[in-house]
Amino acid sequence: MKKIVVMAVVAAFFSLSAMGQEDVGTFSLIPKIGVSIANVSGEEIYYENKEVPAKGKYNARFLGGVEAEYQMLPTTSVSLGVCYVQQGCRFPDLEVGDISGDSEGLSRIRNKLDYIQCPLTINQYLAEGLAIKAGVQLGFLVKSNFSTTFTPIKHVGNGVKEYGEPMNMDVDQKSVMNSMDISIPVGISYEYLNVVLDARYHFGLSKLYSEDSWPTEKNKFFTFTVGYKFNL
């Protein structure tokens, strides 16, 4: 009896695993929006009075776009997308300069990189609605800005500080960036009643900067999206 039950469970599992989300030959469109949690590997900033550099940290930004999916086999589909993805990284707030006299506070330090990302993925369905995916992604740089807010600080003694008027700085750095970025996306998605939840990690392969003196910086980021599937 136990063997029959086990065989029934196994058979049910494999029959479920053999089910794709759509019939073979189906085309679908999936508009989606979400958030990117992005950083830049090896990204550091050195300041005059800091022996240890400030390292880039993950930063949450917006993404939106659409993917087209084609069901090639009962358990396998291929997707091609176009998404506007805000990436980059942030840095911790710092005080730089002569801490015994005049100095500057740096806050909201951001390296903001905006791309048009075109992912091509193979999707393997493990169960109805549940798929794992991997592929390749080409990114085309749209904007690249380094921004921060400077606040003059005067140390008047006994630990007392006087703060001046904050000043915003926004520098266009697109001229020193590579215009194309290549990455490997891997992830998982789940569809229920045409609503598609998708989570991916993107392994950056390309150098971020065109300058040879910055050879290690690469994009790395997570994306989390919600979309709605329309069958054509």
Side-chain angles (χ1 to χ4, degrees), residues 1-198:
M1 181 66 181
K2 290 183 179 179
K3 290 183 179 180
I4 294 175
V5 172
V6 170
M7 291 176 64
V9 171
V10 171
F13 174 79
F14 278 104
S15 65
L16 185 61
S17 298
M19 296 175 65
Q21 185 61 26
E22 306 295 344
D23 295 333
V24 173
T26 300
F27 280 98
S28 304
L29 284 181
I30 310 171
K32 56 174 62 180
I33 59 171
V35 61
S36 70
I37 310 295
N39 199 352
V40 176
S41 64
E43 185 80 319
E44 300 175 340
I45 296 181
Y46 286 85
Y47 295 100
E48 295 175 358
N49 64 333
K50 300 289 182 180
E51 295 182 2
V52 178
K55 296 182 180 295
K57 297 181 179 295
Y58 279 96
N59 191 36
R61 303 191 71 199
F62 169 81
L63 73 87
V66 63
E67 282 195 342
E69 182 177 358
Y70 176 69
Q71 195 73 32
M72 298 188 301
L73 299 170
T75 61
T76 307
S77 69
V78 61
S79 297
L80 178 63
V82 178
C83 297
Y84 191 93
V85 186
Q86 296 180 325
Q87 298 170 218
C89 63
R90 63 182 177 86
F91 297 92
D93 295 349
L94 290 172
E95 183 177 341
V96 299
D98 186 359
I99 61 175
S100 62
D102 293 337
S103 61
E104 290 181 332
L106 279 69
S107 61
R108 299 185 60 80
I109 309 168
R110 301 288 187 269
N111 189 5
K112 295 181 285 187
L113 309 171
D114 291 8
Y115 288 89
I116 298 294
Q117 297 284 8
C118 300
L120 175 65
T121 62
I122 298 295
N123 314 304
Q124 183 64 39
Y125 285 93
L126 305 179
E128 186 174 8
L130 179 65
I132 57 174
K133 54 192 62 191
V136 64
Q137 180 167 275
L138 293 181
F140 302 92
L141 185 64
V142 178
K143 291 194 302 184
S144 175
N145 294 79
F146 181 87
S147 65
T148 187
T149 298
F150 289 95
T151 303
I153 302 173
K154 185 176 183 61
H155 297 255
V156 296
N158 298 322
V160 178
K161 301 179 182 179
E162 293 181 352
Y163 296 90
E165 187 71 21
M167 297 172 290
N168 295 324
M169 182 191 78
D170 198 329
V171 177
D172 186 344
Q173 56 180 4
K174 191 176 179 181
S175 62
V176 299
M177 312 292 292
N178 283 319
S179 60
M180 182 178 291
D181 185 69
I182 301 174
S183 60
I184 300 295
V186 295
I188 188 170
S189 66
Y190 182 72
E191 177 187 348
Y192 182 70
L193 296 178
N194 294 90
V195 176
V196 182
L197 303 177
D198 189 296

Side-chain angles (χ1 to χ4, degrees), residues 194-215:
N194 294 90
V195 176
V196 182
L197 303 177
D198 189 296
R200 304 180 191 183
Y201 181 75
H202 306 257
F203 297 89
L205 302 180
S206 302
K207 284 177 48 180
L208 190 62
Y209 296 99
S210 57
E211 298 289 335
D212 292 336
S213 57
W214 299 322

